[in-house]
Amino acid sequence: MTTPFPFTAVVGQDDLRLALLLNAVSPAVGGVLVRGEKGTAKSTAVRALSALLPEVPVVAGCRFSCDPAAPDPSCPDGPHEPGSGATRPSRMVELPVGASEDRLVGALDIERALAEGVKAFEPGLLADAHRGILYVDEVNLLHDHLVDLLLDAAAMGASYVEREGVSVRHASKFLLVGTMNPEEGELRPQLLDRFGLTVEVAASREPDQRVEVVRRRLAYDDDPAGFAARWAAEETAVRQRVVAARELLPSVRLGDGALRQIAATCAAFEVDGMRADIVMARTATALAAWAGRTDVLAEDVRQAALLALPHRRRRNPFDAPGLDEDKLDETLEEFGGSDDDDQPDPDGPGGGGGQPPSSDGPQADGGGSGAQPEAGDGGEPQPSGAGSGEQSAVRATEPFRTKVLSVPGLGDGAAGRRSRARTEHGRTTGARRPQGALTKLHLAATVQAAAPHQRARGRSGRGLVVRRDDLRQATREGREGNLVLFVVDASGSMAARQRMSAVKGAVLSLLLDAYQRRDKVGLVTFRGTTGEVALPPTSSVDAAAARLETLPTGGRTPLAAGLLRAHEVLRVERLRDPARRALVVVVTDGRATGGPEPVALAGRAARLFAAEGVASVVVDCESGPVRLGLAGQLAGELGGTAVTLDELRADSIAGLVKDVQGGSKRRAA
């Protein structure tokens, strides 16, 4: 077994280590979501946490980790006899992003269930994680159906497996820890709220600290066991402190003053629901226990707010998480409780509730917390061809609810909410022989396949004699996510400030719609002499919104160059993700200038999309009393449809989806 990197050897990342330790002290806090750039020791710290957790008493031989003091009466391995207890190390179970539903919740042997009436059940990851840690790396990329199962298990503390009337239930209470890179997309609000705490991490910009990271990493890679041995004393000390804090936790007093501060803080920051108040109360109590105190101080409440509230304040995916600390301090001061006046000084004995253990450790030992590469310069890409006519970026108008744009036909892409597709979840449309493991049984088709062979198989009783070849997989139709590629005209013809503001508002509205429908998005702009990939295809719509906000305008209108660049983006993305279908949204007034025969070149570029059957929509931005209708002509060349900015609104024309699909049918003809 690979020796894990010691938790106490992680350099810096104080908030991350503190949040994890608070959950070790009080699992009721509800887990941690770790957000940050790649190479910042997120996974390293999480994987190291399990070594600090106390051993778990379990019923010997139980696959579902029942507590011998209070075994689950409905445990599939039960009933359990008293006095059959044992202990084992606390587990950390990793849920891969691409895991199947059966791998997560477990699998029933349908063949034995039908033929013998036996509930032969193979436990999944939710059973393995019971009374331990369930860790999801890149949790924001988890498929929707797995997210739904996680939400159900987290809410009920149990997992249910249902297959054609056969049901199995087992307890599943776990500490949910997830890591993610926000550049790859945000989490669904329902799952985001299930994480008790959230932490933002970034690589240090201090040279000395970066040197120490590299030194420790290299030492660990050279001799993992020897490196871990040199940190054993620090690991033992933290483990003992966790045990002591757990024992002290029931004695910690959360006074009325602290409760008033918690309630006032949640109200001041307008968080939804009451979960934030409860999580803050549990976190403040855990902070006091970690510091060895039996009273909750105002500083505990402040630290709890910084960990529990930032991710609960987002109203849409374009809002940056975070808290106004000045406002937080004012609220705490205004609602300071009188019962806190006689509490101990947080800087005196028993203080330090908001500090993780020091990671200084053995100074000459080296090692590391994982590579922490330099971040980029953070600058936005500058479109080429910018001339003296360039105008500064303008702000977008308020987003609005848009009409549904969908790709015609039936796809096979990743689950989402935009276009029709063959999926694992949705309405049943037929049956087929299973390819690999059976996941969704079509009972009627299975019985129909087995019925003609009953006499030949010697059936004598009431049960149906079922063979593997009789089983039929249900085929289902649901919705998929698409790649929505925006091709935005940023030329001088779009540069009127009020006009460009409306255009950006429309694109922002479509981005918000793409977020809700689980799409990937990309952004291509054209101005001056070329087209630019402002944002390669990504699941992060807030990254697209940020690029859109800083988009300048001016210069000529190289429409053909923009379309050709978009065509190249689709070609590359098709190689990376061939099952994901694309919807191209061209935002322009249809004008084309610059170079010889710009209109003819644009037409030829547009016909490339039509020839490949790419679904497309042109958002016509032409305004004024005299209209040339060039956007409509471009839509015809693309084989798609054109809509105006006003028609894009959800409360306008009722047949927009039909129009988009109708354009695709005309293209196919």
Side-chain angles (χ1 to χ4, degrees):
M1 180 182 295
T2 303
T3 302
F5 190 90
F7 185 87
T8 52
V10 174
V11 178
Q13 308 298 12
D14 290 350
D15 288 344
L16 168 58
R17 293 187 292 128
L18 177 62
L20 292 172
L21 288 169
L22 292 177
N23 276 274
V25 171
S26 175
V29 166
V32 186
L33 174 64
V34 188
R35 300 164 46 93
E37 60 196 31
K38 54 186 176 294
T40 49
K42 299 189 298 292
S43 299
T44 299
V46 173
R47 292 189 176 104
L49 176 65
S50 60
L52 301 179
L53 300 181
E55 290 192 334
V56 179
V58 296
V59 173
C62 177
R63 298 175 297 167
F64 301 88
S65 301
C66 280
D67 186 347
D72 183 2
S74 60
C75 175
D77 284 355
H80 299 298
E81 296 294 331
S84 57
T87 59
R88 63 160 174 79
S90 183
R91 289 176 182 162
M92 192 199 70
V93 177
E94 290 198 43
L95 171 60
V97 169
S100 65
E101 179 180 335
D102 283 349
R103 184 72 186 98
L104 178 62
V105 301
L108 282 168
D109 189 330
I110 299 298
E111 185 175 355
R112 291 188 64 190
L114 289 176
E116 306 172 28
V118 175
K119 293 183 180 180
F121 181 67
E122 183 65 29
L125 295 177
L126 288 179
D128 293 342
H130 181 44
R131 305 175 67 201
I133 302 171
L134 182 62
Y135 171 47
V136 190
D137 193 13
E138 306 295 349
V139 63
N140 51 324
L141 304 182
L142 200 63
H143 289 173
D144 273 3
H145 68 285
L146 296 182
V147 170
D148 293 337
L149 293 170
L150 274 183
L151 288 173
D152 289 343
M156 297 184 295
S159 174
Y160 292 84
V161 184
E162 304 279 350
R163 293 289 189 276
E164 303 299 337
V166 181
S167 176
V168 173
R169 174 210 171 275
H170 64 83
S172 182
K173 297 179 180 179
F174 48 83
L175 176 62
L176 183 60
V177 180
T179 55
M180 60 175 283
N181 184 344
E183 293 178 356
E184 297 173 339
E186 287 295 339
L187 276 177
R188 282 173 55 178
Q190 296 93 331
L191 183 56
L192 189 65
D193 190 50
R194 281 292 171 187
F195 287 97
L197 310 179
T198 186
V199 177
E200 295 279 342
V201 297
S204 172
R205 298 299 182 259
E206 292 293 330
D208 290 343
Q209 195 171 70
R210 296 177 74 95
V211 166
E212 186 62 22
V213 168
V214 175
R215 181 180 291 120
R216 294 187 186 183
R217 182 74 218 186
L218 294 178
Y220 172 75
D221 290 342
D222 289 342
D223 182 10
F227 180 80
R230 291 193 290 273
W231 286 85
E234 286 77 6
E235 293 283 286
T236 300
V238 174
R239 190 179 302 110
Q240 292 173 347
R241 187 174 175 185
V242 169
V243 172
R246 281 192 173 192
E247 294 174 351
L248 181 63
L249 187 64
S251 303
V252 175
R253 184 177 68 95
L254 183 65
D256 289 343
L259 276 173
R260 280 196 299 271
Q261 288 181 318
I262 290 171
T265 300
C266 292
F269 286 100
E270 300 180 348
V271 297
D272 295 331
M274 294 298 299
R275 182 172 284 121
D277 303 62
I278 296 170
V279 171
M280 272 190 66
R282 289 171 174 165
T283 304
T285 303
L287 280 162
W290 176 249
R293 289 185 270 102
T294 57
D295 288 292
V296 174
L297 304 181
E299 181 60 28
D300 297 327
V301 176
R302 185 182 192 278
Q303 182 68 59
L306 293 174
L307 292 172
L309 297 188
H311 61 302
R312 293 187 164 88
R313 295 192 60 247
R314 303 192 74 184
R315 292 295 181 267
N316 65 63
F318 310 134
D319 292 339
L323 288 183
D324 182 339
E325 295 196 32
D326 291 337
K327 180 178 179 180
L328 173 60
D329 291 335
E330 291 173 4
T331 303
L332 293 176
E333 183 176 355
E334 179 181 354
F335 290 89
S338 59
D339 61 342
D340 294 332
D341 294 342
D342 58 351
Q343 292 183 1
D345 182 356
D347 296 325
Q355 295 297 323
S358 171
S359 62
D360 294 340
Q363 289 303 308
D365 292 337
S369 61
Q372 297 182 334
E374 289 283 356
D377 58 13
E380 298 293 340
Q382 296 299 318
S384 61
S388 58
E390 178 178 303
Q391 297 189 18
S392 60
V394 298
R395 295 185 63 85
T397 58
E398 285 298 314
F400 52 84
R401 190 165 64 90
T402 66
K403 280 288 186 181
V404 180
L405 306 176
S406 64
V407 178
L410 197 62
D412 294 286
R417 297 184 177 180
R418 184 171 296 278
S419 305
R420 294 173 54 230
R422 289 175 286 266
T423 61
E424 287 293 319
H425 300 268
R427 64 184 183 91
T428 300
T429 58
R432 60 173 174 80
R433 290 182 181 273
Q435 299 171 349
L438 178 72
T439 55
K440 299 292 182 181
L441 178 74
H442 195 296
L443 183 59
T446 299
V447 172
Q448 187 176 10
H453 308 291
Q454 296 305 295
R455 179 172 296 179
R457 293 173 182 173
R459 174 187 172 188
S460 57
R462 299 179 61 183
L464 192 67
V465 181
V466 180
R467 299 286 186 261
R468 184 71 184 174
D469 290 343
D470 300 328
L471 299 180
R472 294 294 182 268
Q473 174 86 22
T475 57
R476 301 191 175 191
E477 182 179 312
R479 293 280 169 177
E480 68 177 0
N482 298 117
L483 167 61
V484 182
L485 182 62
F486 295 93
V487 186
V488 180
D489 185 347
S491 65
S493 65
M494 302 284 288
R497 297 185 70 85
Q498 186 174 359
R499 185 180 183 189
M500 195 61 194
S501 182
V503 168
K504 285 188 175 183
V507 177
L508 197 65
S509 303
L510 290 167
L511 283 171
L512 184 58
D513 181 69
Y515 164 75
Q516 295 167 342
R517 299 186 187 281
R518 311 290 182 261
D519 294 317
K520 292 180 70 174
V521 296
L523 178 62
V524 173
T525 64
F526 56 94
R527 56 188 287 269
T529 60
T530 63
E532 295 283 339
V533 181
L535 184 71
T538 176
S539 297
S540 178
V541 294
D542 50 344
R547 299 295 172 90
L548 181 71
E549 183 179 356
T550 58
L551 180 67
T553 57
R556 294 182 178 273
T557 313
L559 178 57
L563 293 174
L564 289 174
R565 182 56 61 93
H567 185 267
E568 176 63 15
V569 169
L570 291 185
R571 184 190 69 80
V572 174
E573 192 63 18
R574 202 174 292 127
L575 296 174
R576 294 174 177 167
D577 192 357
R580 188 180 292 270
R581 298 186 294 165
L583 173 65
V584 176
V585 180
V586 185
V587 184
T588 182
D589 57 9
R591 300 171 188 265
T593 60
E597 301 183 342
V599 176
L601 283 174
R604 286 199 290 271
R607 287 191 288 275
L608 291 175
F609 293 86
E612 295 177 1
V614 178
S616 59
V617 178
V618 177
V619 179
D620 184 359
C621 302
E622 192 174 27
S623 60
V626 179
R627 297 174 182 259
L628 302 179
L630 297 176
Q633 296 176 24
L634 175 62
E637 298 281 5
L638 286 166
T641 189
V643 297
T644 65
L645 290 173
D646 289 337
E647 290 171 340
L648 193 61
R649 294 179 178 271
D651 55 358
S652 61
I653 59 173
L656 182 55
V657 175
K658 187 181 296 184
D659 290 344
V660 174
Q661 295 179 345
S664 300
K665 291 177 181 177
R666 291 193 298 272
R667 176 186 63 228

